[in-house]
Amino acid sequence: MLGTNLGIPNLNLTSIKQSSIDTLTKIQSHGVLLVLQEPELTILQVSSNTIMAFGISPERLLGQPLADILDVFQADQFRSELTDQNFDRHNSTKVWVQKSKDNYSIFDAIFHRSPDGCLILELEPTQKDENIPFLSFYHLAKASIDRLTSTANLADFGRIAIAQIRKMTGFDRVMLYKFDDDGHGEVIAEDKKVAMESYLGLHFPATDIPLPARQMFLANRIRVIPDVREEAMEIVPAQHPLTNRPTDLSLSILRSADPCHTEYLQNMGVGASLTISLIKDGQLWGLIACHHQTAKLVPYELRKACEFLGEVIFSQISLAEEIADYSYRSKLAHLRAIEVDLMSRSANFIDGLMGPSPNLLDLFDAWGAAICFGGQWTTVGQTPPAAALDNLVQWLSKNVTDDVFTTDSLPLLDASAERFKNVASGLLAISLSPHSYVLCFRPEVIQTVNWGGDPHPADQVAATDVNVRLCPRTSFELWKEQVQWHSLPWKAVEIAAAIELRKSIVNIVLRQAEKLALVAIDLERSNAELKTFAYVASHDLQEPLHQVASYVQLLEARYGEKLDRDAKDFIGFAVEGVNLMQTLIDDVLLYSKVDLLGIKWEPIEVETALNRALSHLHGLISETGAIVTTDPLPTIVADCTQLSQLFQNLIGNAIKFRKPNTVPQIHISATRQENDWLFSVRADGIGIDPQFFDRIFIIFQRLHTRDEYPGSGMGLTICKKIVECHGGKIWVTSELDQGATFSFTIPVKSMNK
């Protein structure tokens, strides 16, 4: 709609736009409408143009039986036909009305029952040349169908179809108009007079055919307006005498058009119109719109022939669409079956979906795909950067509740997506859990859309003393719009495939989870047995080691004077080996005790745990003169004993691997991150070659000999296990001769643990 708002106070523009079609209570003047009471067929309401049609005023007809207009024989015939609730079987019937002694008028009588239960009779004047012999129509329809079935191209199909409709009706222009998902329509086929401006390929905004009009087209498969400039006729009386409200004329073939619509047609240069609804699965797929530059009355029988031919034509169009859909659906089903097989045979479903072709890109005709699962991203093709993917998942979790979500214009929904529109203007998102998604992306496709007039004008209303109404737009000249931030749309079959894929992923993940649960049970049992073994073995091994050390030392004490230097060295090696063995046993026992179930969660001051560690290291610190400094340390929820052991191992290592002839300098700091506390233990020691960063956390792995640096090689392994049992991570940054910084995180937990 064009124009500007008139600034009328308290104007409810939405209610004006969405006024229901059952509020239109006038009829077109070329016919007569009667509301009848059964079974006598008494006239309760009548259109105000009966003087012109019958030579009788409306007031004289009210309360009279229908037989006063028709003869008794015709009225009795109607009564017998009305016992059959299928009025279409008898519509239309020819009736004769005597206006004067020798003056008869012939009408087509059409019955229908209104949505509010009223029996309505509509009479249209019969034209002398309107009869269509059955064989003539049969041959015309058969020729049309034969031509239609000879082509598989939808554009050619539409062109042939509307050419046949125009040949039958004689309209100046006939168009095949298809609705898009957002409600706007496009003229996909046209047949017209040569001199007329072409609308082929033009788009028309959804406001040109608003929701109430579409409801009318669903209710009335064929709609005729013989003269858009005619004056509408009132119904007398205005309200039904038994219901005290206007009779619902939404199913009436004579019902007058909305003034806004007739004005719209006049602005297009249309004098008469015929519209055939094309309905698929209960939805309005499109229209066959016939326009004439002057007034044109299309007889009832010809309209019904057009309606039938329209249904035949559309059945062929639907069949062509369904064949194309079936072919694509079969292709997707085949690809999905391959993907499900790959997922089932892979270690995890992600490998099956993101491996070599065929993969997600082939299944959904996407340019890029990403899977967020377990907090980790796996990508293939062209995708937004990792940070943008994280933000996208947050946006989806807050704004989308459907299992499968699609949009071909993501930047219009999420402004931050404009930065990667060339990669992800289109999004298909499959939700696996609140924070786990399968995402497919399509890039922006900039295209030029040809509109029949500017599709973005302001609404214009006109005010009178009686009411306020919308005014239609007046210009239909070619208006080009460059559409940005849109990708190719996702098809319904692709969305259906995504729904099925989600079911398959969920089933596979559940099966894998069951297997992992069984493995976890076995591991838990094995770990329990290993811990029991480690505990028992450590205690059982300690006693013989004590005996070995004691007897070797006793041997040295009793026979020391008789032993030569080599023998004494051998005794020293034996004692040293026993001490090392005891250290290893103690460390293995300590390692076995560190597990998640053994953690005693409690609020602790980190400084307290650190002081306990320093107390255990007092001798080593005093011996080396090590200087340990700290920043202010927080209070966290953790296991105090394990945290003390963690600091003891890290500080002990920092002192052990000090530079020769230097006093070790060690600093401990803590920084609050979003969900974690980050702790760092920095020392100025000998440093670590970066190539060994991963190796140092592996059990019994050493970078130096025991002669250089004593120890079991398990200290950092124990540190890693303590941190991971607390839900954190540990790592090192270092260079040779540049010192080392060991960092670890502890998640922020509730103090109510």
Side-chain angles (χ1 to χ4, degrees):
M1 302 293 172
L2 277 179
T4 57
N5 194 310
L6 296 180
I8 301 170
N10 302 320
L11 176 64
N12 188 342
L13 197 58
T14 301
S15 65
I16 298 174
K17 288 181 181 179
Q18 298 181 353
S19 58
S20 177
I21 57 175
D22 59 11
T23 62
L24 299 174
T25 57
K26 297 181 181 180
I27 70 163
Q28 301 177 69
S29 63
H30 67 279
V32 178
L33 182 142
L34 302 96
V35 181
L36 305 175
Q37 182 179 21
E38 299 174 89
E40 296 84 2
L41 303 185
T42 304
I43 300 172
L44 299 179
Q45 288 177 285
V46 66
S47 56
S48 60
N49 57 346
T50 56
I51 293 179
M52 183 182 301
F54 307 147
I56 307 174
S57 69
E59 290 74 17
R60 284 182 54 194
L61 290 173
L62 293 175
Q64 302 302 314
L66 185 61
D68 281 7
I69 304 176
L70 314 177
D71 57 48
V72 175
F73 173 78
Q74 292 180 107
D76 290 341
Q77 183 181 1
F78 281 155
R79 288 193 186 92
S80 64
E81 292 175 351
L82 290 174
T83 58
D84 186 351
Q85 293 301 313
N86 186 3
F87 294 159
D88 284 343
R89 189 175 302 175
H90 306 288
N91 288 336
S92 71
T93 301
K94 295 290 188 290
V95 297
W96 290 261
V97 176
Q98 185 178 15
K99 296 178 67 174
S100 60
K101 184 176 181 181
D102 297 319
N103 185 6
Y104 285 85
S105 295
I106 304 175
F107 293 89
D108 283 313
I110 303 103
F111 280 98
H112 79 272
R113 198 173 300 282
S114 68
D116 52 7
C118 298
L119 179 64
I120 295 178
L121 171 61
E122 297 180 88
L123 301 173
E124 292 188 63
T126 299
Q127 296 183 10
K128 294 180 181 179
D129 58 350
E130 76 172 68
N131 289 329
I132 304 176
F134 172 76
L135 286 178
S136 297
F137 173 72
Y138 168 77
H139 289 302
L140 179 61
K142 187 175 186 305
S144 301
I145 295 169
D146 289 343
R147 292 191 65 190
L148 291 170
T149 54
S150 66
T151 178
N153 184 282
L154 183 59
D156 292 340
F157 198 97
R159 179 178 53 79
I160 294 171
I162 55 95
Q164 296 303 310
I165 295 288
R166 183 167 178 246
K167 182 177 180 180
M168 288 177 59
T169 60
F171 274 90
D172 293 335
R173 184 204 305 271
V174 180
M175 298 175 289
L176 180 58
Y177 185 86
K178 181 181 180 181
F179 289 105
D180 203 347
D181 292 338
D182 63 2
H184 88 268
E186 178 186 2
V187 178
I188 62 174
E190 179 186 58
D191 193 79
K192 64 177 182 64
K193 281 185 174 182
V194 176
M196 297 180 71
E197 178 186 2
S198 176
Y199 290 152
L200 181 62
L202 295 187
H203 295 246
F204 292 82
T207 51
D208 280 13
I209 306 179
L211 182 60
R214 294 180 208 186
Q215 293 173 339
M216 183 271 291
F217 285 128
L218 280 171
N220 302 76
R221 286 184 176 268
I222 191 161
R223 177 74 172 145
V224 63
I225 303 176
D227 187 353
V228 300
R229 293 175 175 81
E230 71 174 358
E231 181 181 355
M233 297 291 105
E234 302 278 356
I235 300 297
V236 181
Q239 294 187 331
H240 192 289
L242 301 182
T243 64
N244 292 320
R245 60 173 182 249
T247 300
D248 187 341
L249 300 181
S250 57
L251 300 180
S252 170
I253 59 176
L254 289 175
R255 179 180 49 78
S256 64
D258 188 288
C260 185
H261 179 59
T262 56
E263 188 176 344
Y264 177 87
L265 292 175
Q266 291 180 55
N267 292 343
M268 293 184 75
V270 176
S273 73
L274 173 69
T275 308
I276 303 169
S277 301
L278 304 177
I279 300 171
K280 182 178 182 180
D281 299 330
Q283 302 294 320
L284 195 61
W285 181 93
L287 302 169
I288 296 176
C290 308
H291 290 168
H292 208 64
Q293 292 173 301
T294 59
K296 181 178 179 64
L297 178 60
V298 182
Y300 181 80
E301 289 187 9
L302 180 56
R303 298 202 305 268
K304 296 301 286 185
C306 290
E307 180 181 0
F308 173 74
L309 186 56
E311 291 180 1
V312 172
I313 290 170
F314 187 56
S315 69
Q316 295 295 317
I317 293 176
S318 297
L319 180 61
E321 286 190 330
E322 288 171 4
I323 290 174
D325 281 352
Y326 176 78
S327 176
Y328 191 36
R329 189 162 55 247
S330 298
K331 174 188 174 183
L332 294 184
H334 175 67
L335 289 173
R336 191 175 69 250
I338 294 175
E339 292 295 324
V340 171
D341 180 61
L342 290 172
M343 286 190 294
S344 300
R345 291 191 287 109
S346 300
N348 59 72
F349 77 95
I350 298 176
D351 293 339
L353 288 176
M354 307 293 267
S357 182
N359 53 30
L360 273 178
L361 304 186
D362 304 293
L363 182 58
F364 294 114
D365 192 21
W367 285 41
I371 297 178
C372 180
F373 193 76
Q376 300 293 322
W377 281 105
T378 305
T379 62
V380 63
Q382 300 181 23
T383 67
L389 290 175
D390 290 336
N391 292 335
L392 184 56
V393 165
Q394 292 182 12
W395 182 87
L396 287 168
S397 62
K398 291 178 181 178
N399 296 279
V400 177
T401 57
D402 296 334
D403 291 336
V404 174
F405 167 79
T406 62
T407 178
D408 61 357
S409 53
L410 181 60
L412 297 181
L413 301 178
D414 180 8
S416 64
E418 183 185 350
R419 292 180 287 111
F420 45 85
K421 62 181 181 178
N422 59 328
V423 172
S425 284
L427 169 67
L428 183 150
I430 302 174
S431 172
L432 304 178
S433 71
H435 298 288
S436 295
Y437 284 88
V438 176
L439 307 177
C440 293
F441 303 103
R442 284 179 179 171
E444 177 186 42
V445 177
I446 300 176
Q447 57 183 325
T448 299
V449 177
N450 294 329
W451 293 92
D454 183 356
H456 307 295
D459 294 296
Q460 178 175 319
V461 295
T464 66
D465 294 338
V466 180
N467 58 18
V468 176
R469 65 178 182 84
L470 284 175
C471 294
R473 57 199 184 97
T474 57
S475 173
F476 301 91
E477 293 182 0
L478 177 62
W479 196 91
K480 292 180 178 289
E481 178 183 31
Q482 190 178 62
V483 178
Q484 297 177 304
W485 300 349
H486 285 72
S487 71
L488 293 177
W490 303 95
K491 297 179 181 179
V493 292
E494 292 169 335
I495 297 173
I499 294 173
E500 293 303 316
L501 180 64
R502 180 183 183 276
K503 295 177 182 177
S504 300
I505 293 174
V506 170
N507 288 335
I508 289 171
V509 170
L510 286 176
R511 288 200 299 270
Q512 292 177 344
E514 290 176 356
K515 292 179 181 178
L516 289 175
L518 294 176
V519 171
I521 292 173
D522 289 340
L523 286 175
E524 185 176 349
R525 183 170 56 251
S526 297
N527 285 338
E529 293 171 353
L530 285 173
K531 283 192 289 186
T532 301
F533 169 78
Y535 183 79
V536 172
S538 64
H539 280 275
D540 290 347
L541 288 173
Q542 292 282 7
E543 182 58 31
L545 285 175
H546 282 303
Q547 289 182 3
V548 170
S550 297
Y551 280 111
V552 168
Q553 290 171 344
L554 183 61
L555 182 63
E556 182 183 22
R558 287 189 178 183
Y559 304 101
E561 295 179 355
K562 299 179 180 181
L563 298 176
D564 60 14
R565 189 169 192 81
D566 286 345
K568 292 182 178 180
D569 288 341
F570 294 157
I571 290 174
F573 294 151
V575 173
E576 184 180 339
V578 168
N579 292 334
L580 175 60
M581 188 64 177
Q582 288 177 326
T583 301
L584 285 171
I585 291 172
D586 290 339
D587 285 347
V588 169
L589 182 60
L590 178 61
Y591 183 79
S592 69
K593 290 180 179 179
V594 178
D595 60 52
L596 182 61
L597 296 178
I599 291 180
K600 182 181 179 182
W601 297 102
E602 59 181 345
I604 61 170
E605 294 181 357
V606 176
E607 187 175 353
T608 300
L610 176 61
N611 289 336
R612 184 181 300 179
L614 295 176
S615 174
H616 290 155
L617 294 169
H618 176 72
L620 184 60
I621 293 173
S622 298
E623 178 185 341
T624 60
I627 300 173
V628 180
T629 59
T630 71
D631 288 343
L633 298 176
T635 297
I636 65 172
V637 176
D639 185 298
C640 188
T641 299
Q642 291 191 12
L643 192 60
S644 295
Q645 185 66 51
L646 175 61
F647 280 120
Q648 181 176 331
N649 287 3
L650 292 176
I651 296 171
N653 271 6
I655 296 174
K656 181 193 302 183
F657 296 102
R658 64 189 180 277
K659 291 179 181 179
N661 304 316
T662 61
V663 175
Q665 301 281 339
I666 303 165
H667 184 74
I668 300 167
S669 62
T671 305
R672 172 64 185 266
Q673 298 180 320
E674 183 176 356
N675 298 312
D676 304 287
W677 278 102
L678 172 63
F679 294 92
S680 296
V681 178
R682 186 177 73 250
D684 59 350
I686 62 175
I688 304 170
D689 191 324
Q691 65 176 313
F692 300 122
F693 282 176
D694 292 332
R695 179 179 169 185
I696 62 175
F697 292 104
I698 300 174
I699 192 168
F700 297 133
Q701 292 294 310
R702 300 175 56 89
L703 302 184
H704 307 87
T705 66
R706 288 193 174 89
D707 290 337
E708 294 178 291
Y709 296 97
S712 66
M714 290 190 61
L716 290 178
T717 305
I718 294 172
C719 290
K720 183 173 184 290
K721 191 172 184 182
I722 290 173
V723 171
E724 290 179 347
C725 285
H726 279 75
K729 298 179 181 179
I730 187 170
W731 65 95
V732 63
T733 54
S734 178
E735 294 285 346
L736 281 176
D737 299 322
Q738 300 298 317
T741 299
F742 282 84
S743 302
F744 63 89
T745 59
I746 301 293
V748 175
K749 295 181 180 290
S750 171
M751 291 296 181
N752 296 322
K753 280 265 185 195

